[in-house]
Amino acid sequence: MDRYEQVTELARRRGFMWPAFELYGGAAGFYDYGPLGAQLKRRIEDAWRGFFVIREGFAEIEAPTIGIEDIFKASGHLSGFSDPLTECKECKEIYRADHLIKHIIEVPDALSDEEIYQVFQDNDIFCPECGGDLSTVYEFNLMFKTAIGPGNKHAGYLRPETAQGMFINYPRLLRYFRGALPFGAVQIGKSYRNEISPRQGVIRLREFTQAEAEVFIDPRDKTHPRFDEVKDIVMRLYSQAGQERGEVEEMTVGEAVEKGIIAHQTLAYYVARTYQFLQAVGVARDRLRFRQHKADEMAHYAADCWDAEVLLDRLGWIELVGVADRTDYDLKSHMALSQARLTVFVNYDQPVRREKLVIKPDMKSLGPRFKGQAKAIAEALKSLDMKELKGEGPIAVQVDGETVEVERELVSFEMVEEEIRGEELVPHVIEPSFGIDRILYTVLEHSYYEEMVEEEPRIVLRLLPRMTPVDVAVLPLMDRPELTAPAREILEALRSAGYLTDYDTSGSIGRRYRRNDEIGTPYCVTVDYETIEQGTVTIRDRDSMRQVKVKKEDLLGTVSGLLCCTQRFEDAGVAVSP
Amino acid sequence: MDRYEQVTELARRRGFMWPAFELYGGAAGFYDYGPLGAQLKRRIEDAWRGFFVIREGFAEIEAPTIGIEDIFKASGHLSGFSDPLTECKECKEIYRADHLIKHIIEVPDALSDEEIYQVFQDNDIFCPECGGDLSTVYEFNLMFKTAIGPGNKHAGYLRPETAQGMFINYPRLLRYFRGALPFGAVQIGKSYRNEISPRQGVIRLREFTQAEAEVFIDPRDKTHPRFDEVKDIVMRLYSQAGQERGEVEEMTVGEAVEKGIIAHQTLAYYVARTYQFLQAVGVARDRLRFRQHKADEMAHYAADCWDAEVLLDRLGWIELVGVADRTDYDLKSHMALSQARLTVFVNYDQPVRREKLVIKPDMKSLGPRFKGQAKAIAEALKSLDMKELKGEGPIAVQVDGETVEVERELVSFEMVEEEIRGEELVPHVIEPSFGIDRILYTVLEHSYYEEMVEEEPRIVLRLLPRMTPVDVAVLPLMDRPELTAPAREILEALRSAGYLTDYDTSGSIGRRYRRNDEIGTPYCVTVDYETIEQGTVTIRDRDSMRQVKVKKEDLLGTVSGLLCCTQRFEDAGVAVSP
């Protein structure tokens, strides 16, 4: 069993996660999170909120998971979000066409559907299952499609990313942030990709959870006001140039920006925050790097993009997070399709003074010539564009629906100085986009340890405090009323204080400790006869397996100190000799 | 403007929620939660978790929102979850057929599609839009349908309720809870109903959020061990009998069970917890009642069902929560379709002794007759069913693949007493099912107040503490560096402590207070020149509009005390005379 199998076996057995719809034979690409997995997932999401909502002051929103067609027309998903397919003419099995020629063509994504089909023919590629002829290659859109309301009149699509929810709400978000850049909006929620034949457990799902932030910034200034807070962080960077040399470099965030390796401060700032966040939830530092997208893999909208990649035992380097400069691509696409103005007025630091040619109607001549219409004509002349004033002959203006021609000698021109305070701009967007399911799996794998204890294997999940699905397990030494009654009292007190608890009376105390080690419970509280006689309970530490005795009435305070890491276990009570 | 319009106008303007896809003209039945609404929603969900996960010890899981066909075949949604439609033959407009005859037939749901069409014909019902002929009536399934993977081979449906995720995971949940009843599992997540023509904002959505608990209990005992905690709570009940009399009764939960008004303790326990929860998030007690489903509206699976209903200004009494005894309906349906055994072995309190007729092979006779096969034949005889032993003539047994006939005189029968320790049962399920979007809207409406202050109208959302989207607003008196610098420091300190903050420098201080009143911010902290000179800041209370001055260094402690309600505002600092 490799680590992947060990982790998924543990996850299934203990209730972290398992393939969905088991009762009916399952369906690839769908997973259930069980009690422990759902809890761990929420803790990861909450940690993410701590970083990207509370600390950055971004706004979390919640848009529908179903979207209407226009959104994905503008975003490009309707036309471009697809995989090439081929079907066996005999057995009707469907394949990713590019996957069938991987051994022949190094980068099959670069080929057109026709070119892939040509490779089939030139290389005698047949159905891998039955040897039958393969159909021509066609594109399969990866969005799940449905119909909104009866009658197939309105197509709906399950969103392939949460990001579009922020883009199409830009006008409301801008207003919420009182019309000023920069601001950020985030969503944590389900996204969907109708993969052809997903494998690899929660690494490639058809329904998955994303946490995405869209940070709207002034395109003229991509520095970041809090860059100093992160500039000294040392990270492992695998840049475009480094990938060509096959070399991962360690350097500070500041250095990376100075050397032009990361495009600008704002992008680097979110790369650094991503780095901090991933470690805060339990991704191992020595199996984490940031890889820059190569020019040919960069999305068409991106100016620069860095993926946080982790090393997994079976799967190798896997992308967990992408941090991209999406520029103004999305807002401009939605502007073009919706005709709405997705801009912001930005004030210049100093108003700019500019000379401008303006028209000066000569009222003394216009009055006698046009009588009552003179004033309206003067206004119409002033509102004309300078271009319309150029040329020879009379100037045509519209007044009360009729065209009036004004002789050129009746107007004069003048240079005036005008003050320009700012301009309308389309913001650029920096996007840190997190795959929560992959992060969760990584946290499990990177926390998984097997060790020999007293000649028996012990599995222990060394999850970080506050990332554990169970904070404290309460274990009466035996399942007898005189022990379970005080144990239940302790349980209630811990629950009321908001801790995630478990209560277990079945099996020997040693076995129950092991069961809790396996799911990462940092502390077990054992209620025994000393609890009745002397009012003490035993706290047992997952990592060291050591035990201390504390007074029952001090338990809540001690546990809270231990979980906040303000209390060292060694000093938490009277050590119990092993 | 009625209250509904006032609340939705405020919600839209300030960023609680608004119709989705505005940029592209919208689509009925979809809403966006903006920054404030999404935050309020999470607070409601977290409060729910406090009640139904932490306190009850239930397990929260997360199953996919897309389900495969078998699930909904078993649940009955595929065949029974539909509305009757008719289409205008001229203008092609589609209508809920039963809605078109509401003025003629009192309970149109009771009619078949053919009967509705007959009513059209008997009463000259035509298209309300163009007067055209209506088509025959047909059923429209309310589940959103999609295809999983390419080629339309596998249908997928967006779940119409989260409940099925708990039912189909029953075997894993039972194992997680170590094989013993009772236990509960919950989900908070999206559900979908492809309504024909939804109106009423977030009250009737095509995509909405449910929080559902499925509590698996022993069907033989529907008492609840913690019933005493709730039995004295007085609630307004609108029972089946009460509805016939048109009378809402006030009584304790204990009384309701004693009188047989609520079917049993466990159902009543969750009705009471629902009552507590709704008030804890801000539903007004005097606009809340529990209505029992009438016999003819009860779902086919339910033994008893109570809805929490609230009174809304425009919409009248609206259901927020259903608390139902779903019996063993769902588990039995999934058992029948999947052939899996969705039971639990329950131990009797006392083993039951029962007399049983058993076969007793006579080895002294079998030995000589069958030689080496004798032992195998004796075992085979013992494992026969009593039914197979009845009758005349030799008894046939299978030994090593061949049939051996044993003469009846070679065996004897004996009565033995056997001990039965328990039995396999299908649990019953009690389900409290909450509509989060409706609860959120109700909280807004029930918190909305307009009052005259100094001859100007003041809108104030009297949200409960810890239910507010912003805990504290930090307001520098003026937008000048000497004030914004300390204000920013305070902001960071509050954010680091985990509080939801807002920072606002635009407009007069009075206007900013009003803006915060409108979104329910309980406390505003104002930084002014006294902050620089004397190190004090002003805290202003939303409800009383009074102000106190506290030392800057005491602010965090004071705010925390105020928000936990352990600190009275009156004693929080030096009162500022208005």
Side-chain angles (χ1 to χ4, degrees):
Chain A
M1 275 216 292
D2 64 9
R3 187 52 50 93
Y4 177 81
E5 269 174 275
Q6 289 170 324
V7 171
T8 47
E9 192 277 329
L10 173 70
R12 195 182 298 126
R13 181 164 48 82
R14 293 308 310 280
F16 281 94
M17 56 209 185
W18 52 75
F21 324 134
E22 284 180 321
L23 200 62
Y24 294 108
F30 295 97
Y31 253 70
D32 287 324
Y33 287 102
L36 299 179
Q39 189 58 56
L40 175 57
K41 183 165 179 277
R42 276 194 302 285
R43 293 208 136 175
I44 292 172
E45 291 169 359
D46 282 344
W48 195 90
R49 279 195 184 98
F51 270 78
F52 293 97
V53 179
I54 303 247
R55 195 155 70 167
E56 299 295 325
F58 293 164
E60 185 171 352
I61 67 167
E62 197 180 311
T65 58
I66 298 179
I68 59 175
E69 194 149 27
D70 280 339
I71 300 167
F72 305 111
K73 219 180 262 176
S75 72
H77 286 98
L78 208 55
S79 56
F81 187 60
S82 58
D83 280 342
L85 289 195
T86 183
E87 191 178 330
C88 172
K89 291 177 182 174
E90 304 295 323
C91 73
K92 306 294 172 200
E93 188 64 39
I94 293 172
Y95 300 97
R96 271 284 292 268
D98 50 339
H99 286 183
L100 297 181
I101 57 166
K102 263 189 188 163
H103 58 295
I104 299 167
I105 306 287
E106 207 181 329
V107 192
D109 335 12
L111 299 189
S112 72
D113 292 350
E114 291 71 26
E115 287 166 331
I116 298 176
Y117 187 65
Q118 195 57 51
V119 176
F120 288 176
Q121 304 211 297
D122 295 346
N123 295 273
D124 290 334
I125 307 284
F126 296 103
C127 171
E129 284 296 320
C130 78
D133 274 344
L134 294 169
S135 75
T136 51
V137 176
Y138 59 96
E139 290 295 311
F140 172 70
N141 194 290
L142 297 179
M143 286 194 292
F144 283 99
K145 189 176 181 179
T146 189
I148 299 172
N152 280 312
K153 274 187 288 190
H154 303 287
Y157 298 88
L158 295 182
R159 64 181 178 197
E161 58 177 10
T162 69
Q164 297 302 323
M166 274 74 90
F167 297 134
I168 63 171
N169 277 309
Y170 170 78
R172 292 235 172 246
L173 290 168
L174 178 66
R175 184 168 169 183
Y176 178 78
F177 284 102
R178 299 180 196 104
L181 296 180
F183 65 83
V186 317
Q187 273 194 96
I188 303 178
K190 292 294 181 81
S191 290
Y192 304 81
R193 295 185 191 189
N194 200 1
E195 304 278 356
I196 312 303
S197 51
R199 283 178 204 93
Q200 307 179 316
V202 296
I203 301 297
R204 192 164 295 278
L205 289 171
R206 282 169 164 155
E207 176 173 338
F208 53 100
T209 298
Q210 288 186 308
E212 294 189 301
E214 309 299 324
V215 192
F216 297 86
I217 62 168
D218 187 330
R220 300 164 310 162
D221 178 11
K222 295 189 174 181
T223 61
H224 195 284
R226 290 165 67 183
F227 187 68
D228 272 359
E229 291 177 26
V230 302
K231 73 177 192 328
D232 295 327
I233 294 172
V234 178
M235 297 192 305
R236 298 169 76 202
L237 298 182
Y238 198 29
S239 66
Q240 285 182 357
Q243 288 167 68
E244 274 169 32
R245 296 193 306 272
E247 189 192 339
V248 176
E249 295 161 281
E250 292 232 350
M251 69 178 80
T252 66
V253 179
E255 228 179 309
V257 173
E258 260 166 48
K259 290 186 177 167
I261 293 173
I262 300 180
H264 51 78
Q265 280 191 3
T266 300
L267 196 64
Y269 176 83
Y270 292 109
V271 166
R273 289 293 185 217
T274 298
Y275 182 73
Q276 292 178 314
F277 164 76
L278 289 175
Q279 288 179 78
V281 298
V283 171
R285 188 190 181 287
D286 59 352
R287 279 170 274 175
L288 172 59
R289 72 180 184 194
F290 283 84
R291 191 179 70 78
Q292 190 173 31
H293 279 207
K294 283 184 275 188
D296 62 354
E297 70 176 311
M298 195 99 69
H300 51 288
Y301 50 74
D304 191 9
C305 183
W306 288 81
D307 285 348
E309 292 186 334
V310 288
L311 186 60
L312 296 179
D313 193 56
R314 176 193 288 191
L315 304 167
W317 288 98
I318 288 283
E319 172 199 351
L320 297 188
V321 185
V323 187
D325 181 344
R326 287 181 82 135
T327 69
D328 55 10
Y329 175 83
D330 301 275
L331 288 180
K332 279 198 169 155
S333 301
H334 285 296
M335 264 173 89
L337 190 66
S338 69
Q339 301 293 321
R341 210 160 102 168
L342 306 180
T343 57
V344 58
F345 186 82
V346 291
N347 282 307
Y348 296 144
D349 293 340
Q350 295 292 335
V352 173
R353 299 197 152 269
R354 196 165 62 177
E355 298 231 298
K356 191 184 164 188
L357 193 66
V358 294
I359 196 165
K360 214 182 158 196
D362 179 359
M363 283 312 285
K364 277 183 194 146
S365 319
L366 287 173
R369 168 86 175 74
F370 294 107
K371 310 266 156 47
Q373 277 196 302
K375 214 174 160 198
I377 287 171
E379 287 307 311
L381 282 167
K382 279 191 210 161
S383 71
L384 286 179
D385 205 292
M386 283 312 291
K387 278 180 286 186
E388 296 170 272
L389 294 171
K390 294 229 172 91
E392 306 277 313
I395 301 161
V397 290
Q398 298 289 323
V399 175
D400 299 333
E402 61 174 304
T403 306
V404 180
E405 299 213 322
V406 182
E407 295 77 9
R408 201 160 278 271
E409 53 271 24
L410 299 183
V411 300
S412 59
F413 295 91
E414 191 181 29
M415 286 301 280
V416 295
E417 201 177 49
E418 71 171 354
E419 193 183 77
I420 304 173
R421 301 189 155 275
E423 64 184 302
E424 292 284 338
L425 285 176
V426 180
H428 278 203
V429 174
I430 311 301
E431 175 195 78
S433 168
F434 292 68
I436 296 294
D437 311 88
R438 291 180 171 198
I439 292 172
L440 187 149
Y441 174 79
T442 303
V443 168
L444 287 181
E445 189 177 304
H446 286 189
S447 306
Y448 186 98
Y449 289 86
E450 266 190 29
E451 54 190 34
M452 292 305 287
V453 174
E454 292 165 4
E455 288 166 53
E456 277 197 12
R458 175 174 98 119
I459 295 173
V460 54
L461 274 191
R462 296 196 200 280
L463 296 171
L464 297 177
R466 307 307 296 171
M467 294 307 299
T468 51
V470 175
D471 294 322
V472 193
V474 179
L475 314 173
L477 189 65
M478 279 169 290
D479 194 3
R480 292 187 186 156
E482 66 271 26
L483 295 179
T484 54
R488 286 256 169 220
E489 260 174 48
I490 289 171
L491 184 75
E492 286 306 318
L494 288 165
R495 277 185 186 171
S496 300
Y499 292 110
L500 298 163
T501 55
D502 192 31
Y503 177 81
D504 187 0
T505 60
S506 61
S508 75
I509 191 75
R511 240 184 97 172
R512 281 180 275 163
Y513 285 150
R514 287 292 185 281
R515 279 210 290 262
N516 275 291
D517 291 341
E518 241 181 23
I519 64 167
T521 310
Y523 302 104
C524 291
V525 173
T526 308
V527 174
D528 56 22
Y529 285 95
E530 284 188 23
T531 311
I532 307 169
E533 289 151 19
Q534 292 162 33
T536 58
V537 292
T538 306
I539 308 179
R540 184 234 185 213
D541 176 51
R542 174 194 72 198
D543 292 341
S544 66
M545 294 181 285
R546 284 194 290 186
Q547 301 179 16
V548 294
K549 281 204 180 288
V550 300
K551 282 192 190 155
K552 218 172 76 177
E553 58 269 30
D554 295 340
L555 180 67
L556 210 59
T558 306
V559 163
S560 133
L562 288 169
L563 289 170
C564 299
C565 304
T566 54
Q567 164 81 65
R568 280 165 25 111
F569 185 76
E570 292 69 22
D571 315 326
V574 180
V576 178
S577 46
Chain B
M1 275 216 293
D2 64 10
R3 187 51 51 93
Y4 177 81
E5 268 173 278
Q6 288 170 324
V7 171
T8 49
E9 192 277 328
L10 173 69
R12 195 180 302 126
R13 180 165 49 82
R14 294 307 312 277
F16 281 94
M17 57 209 184
W18 53 75
F21 324 133
E22 284 180 322
L23 201 61
Y24 294 110
F30 295 97
Y31 253 72
D32 287 323
Y33 286 102
L36 299 179
Q39 189 59 55
L40 175 57
K41 182 164 180 277
R42 275 193 303 285
R43 293 208 136 174
I44 292 171
E45 290 169 359
D46 281 344
W48 195 89
R49 278 196 184 97
F51 270 78
F52 293 98
V53 180
I54 304 247
R55 194 154 71 167
E56 298 295 325
F58 293 165
E60 184 171 352
I61 66 168
E62 198 180 311
T65 57
I66 298 179
I68 58 175
E69 193 149 29
D70 280 339
I71 299 167
F72 306 110
K73 219 180 261 175
S75 72
H77 287 98
L78 209 54
S79 57
F81 186 61
S82 59
D83 281 340
L85 290 195
T86 184
E87 190 179 330
C88 171
K89 290 178 181 173
E90 305 294 323
C91 72
K92 305 295 174 199
E93 187 65 39
I94 294 172
Y95 301 96
R96 271 284 292 269
D98 50 338
H99 286 183
L100 298 181
I101 57 168
K102 262 187 189 164
H103 58 294
I104 299 168
I105 307 285
E106 205 180 330
V107 191
D109 335 11
L111 299 190
S112 73
D113 292 350
E114 292 70 26
E115 287 166 332
I116 298 175
Y117 187 64
Q118 196 57 53
V119 177
F120 288 176
Q121 306 211 296
D122 295 347
N123 295 274
D124 290 332
I125 307 283
F126 296 103
C127 171
E129 284 297 320
C130 78
D133 273 344
L134 294 169
S135 75
T136 52
V137 176
Y138 59 96
E139 290 296 312
F140 172 70
N141 193 291
L142 297 179
M143 285 194 293
F144 284 99
K145 189 177 181 178
T146 188
I148 299 172
N152 280 312
K153 275 187 287 191
H154 304 285
Y157 298 88
L158 295 182
R159 65 182 178 196
E161 59 178 8
T162 70
Q164 298 302 323
M166 274 73 92
F167 297 135
I168 64 170
N169 277 309
Y170 170 77
R172 294 237 171 245
L173 291 168
L174 179 65
R175 184 171 168 184
Y176 178 78
F177 284 102
R178 299 182 196 103
L181 297 179
F183 65 83
V186 318
Q187 273 193 96
I188 303 178
K190 291 293 181 79
S191 291
Y192 303 81
R193 294 185 190 187
N194 200 2
E195 304 279 355
I196 313 303
S197 49
R199 281 178 204 90
Q200 304 179 319
V202 296
I203 301 297
R204 192 164 294 278
L205 289 171
R206 283 171 163 153
E207 176 174 338
F208 53 100
T209 297
Q210 288 187 308
E212 295 189 301
E214 309 300 323
V215 192
F216 297 86
I217 62 168
D218 187 330
R220 300 164 310 162
D221 178 11
K222 295 189 173 180
T223 61
H224 196 285
R226 290 165 67 183
F227 188 67
D228 272 0
E229 292 178 24
V230 302
K231 72 178 193 328
D232 295 326
I233 295 172
V234 178
M235 296 191 306
R236 300 167 76 201
L237 298 181
Y238 198 31
S239 66
Q240 287 182 358
Q243 288 167 67
E244 272 167 34
R245 296 194 305 273
E247 187 192 339
V248 176
E249 295 161 281
E250 292 232 350
M251 69 179 80
T252 66
V253 179
E255 227 179 310
V257 173
E258 258 167 51
K259 290 185 177 167
I261 292 173
I262 299 180
H264 51 78
Q265 279 191 4
T266 300
L267 196 65
Y269 176 83
Y270 293 108
V271 166
R273 289 293 184 217
T274 298
Y275 181 73
Q276 291 178 314
F277 164 77
L278 289 175
Q279 287 179 78
V281 298
V283 171
R285 189 191 181 286
D286 59 351
R287 280 170 273 175
L288 172 60
R289 72 180 184 194
F290 283 84
R291 190 179 70 79
Q292 189 172 32
H293 280 207
K294 284 183 275 186
D296 62 352
E297 71 175 311
M298 196 99 66
H300 50 288
Y301 50 73
D304 190 9
C305 184
W306 288 81
D307 286 347
E309 293 186 333
V310 288
L311 186 60
L312 296 179
D313 193 57
R314 176 193 289 193
L315 304 165
W317 287 98
I318 288 283
E319 172 199 351
L320 297 189
V321 185
V323 187
D325 182 344
R326 286 181 84 134
T327 70
D328 54 10
Y329 175 84
D330 301 275
L331 288 180
K332 279 198 170 156
S333 302
H334 285 296
M335 264 173 91
L337 190 65
S338 70
Q339 300 294 318
R341 209 160 102 170
L342 305 180
T343 57
V344 58
F345 186 82
V346 292
N347 283 307
Y348 297 145
D349 292 340
Q350 294 292 333
V352 173
R353 299 198 150 267
R354 194 164 63 176
E355 296 229 302
K356 189 184 165 189
L357 193 65
V358 294
I359 197 166
K360 213 184 158 196
D362 180 357
M363 282 310 286
K364 277 181 196 149
S365 319
L366 285 174
R369 168 83 175 75
F370 293 105
K371 311 266 155 49
Q373 278 195 303
K375 216 178 157 192
I377 287 171
E379 287 308 310
L381 284 166
K382 279 191 210 161
S383 71
L384 287 179
D385 207 290
M386 283 312 291
K387 278 179 287 183
E388 296 168 271
L389 294 171
K390 293 228 174 93
E392 306 277 312
I395 301 161
V397 291
Q398 298 288 323
V399 176
D400 298 334
E402 62 173 307
T403 306
V404 180
E405 299 214 321
V406 182
E407 293 79 10
R408 202 160 276 273
E409 54 273 23
L410 298 182
V411 301
S412 58
F413 295 92
E414 193 182 26
M415 286 301 283
V416 295
E417 203 181 47
E418 72 171 353
E419 194 184 75
I420 303 173
R421 301 189 155 273
E423 65 182 302
E424 293 284 338
L425 285 176
V426 181
H428 278 203
V429 173
I430 310 301
E431 176 194 78
S433 169
F434 293 69
I436 297 294
D437 311 271
R438 290 180 173 198
I439 292 172
L440 187 148
Y441 174 79
T442 303
V443 168
L444 286 181
E445 189 178 303
H446 286 190
S447 306
Y448 186 99
Y449 289 86
E450 266 190 27
E451 54 191 33
M452 291 305 286
V453 173
E454 290 164 4
E455 288 166 55
E456 280 197 10
R458 174 174 98 120
I459 296 173
V460 54
L461 273 191
R462 296 196 199 280
L463 296 171
L464 297 177
R466 307 308 292 171
M467 294 308 299
T468 51
V470 175
D471 294 322
V472 192
V474 179
L475 313 174
L477 190 65
M478 278 169 291
D479 194 2
R480 290 187 188 159
E482 66 270 26
L483 295 179
T484 55
R488 285 259 168 216
E489 258 173 51
I490 289 171
L491 184 74
E492 287 305 320
L494 288 165
R495 278 186 185 171
S496 301
Y499 292 109
L500 298 163
T501 54
D502 192 31
Y503 177 82
D504 188 0
T505 58
S506 61
S508 76
I509 192 73
R511 236 184 101 171
R512 283 180 275 163
Y513 284 152
R514 287 291 185 280
R515 279 210 289 260
N516 276 292
D517 291 341
E518 236 179 30
I519 64 168
T521 309
Y523 302 104
C524 292
V525 173
T526 308
V527 174
D528 55 22
Y529 285 95
E530 283 189 24
T531 311
I532 306 169
E533 289 151 19
Q534 291 161 36
T536 58
V537 292
T538 307
I539 308 178
R540 184 241 187 206
D541 176 50
R542 175 194 72 198
D543 291 339
S544 66
M545 294 182 285
R546 284 193 291 187
Q547 301 179 14
V548 293
K549 283 206 178 284
V550 300
K551 282 192 191 151
K552 217 172 78 176
E553 57 270 28
D554 295 340
L555 179 67
L556 210 57
T558 306
V559 163
S560 133
L562 288 169
L563 289 170
C564 299
C565 304
T566 55
Q567 165 81 65
R568 280 165 25 113
F569 185 76
E570 291 69 21
D571 315 326
V574 181
V576 178
S577 47

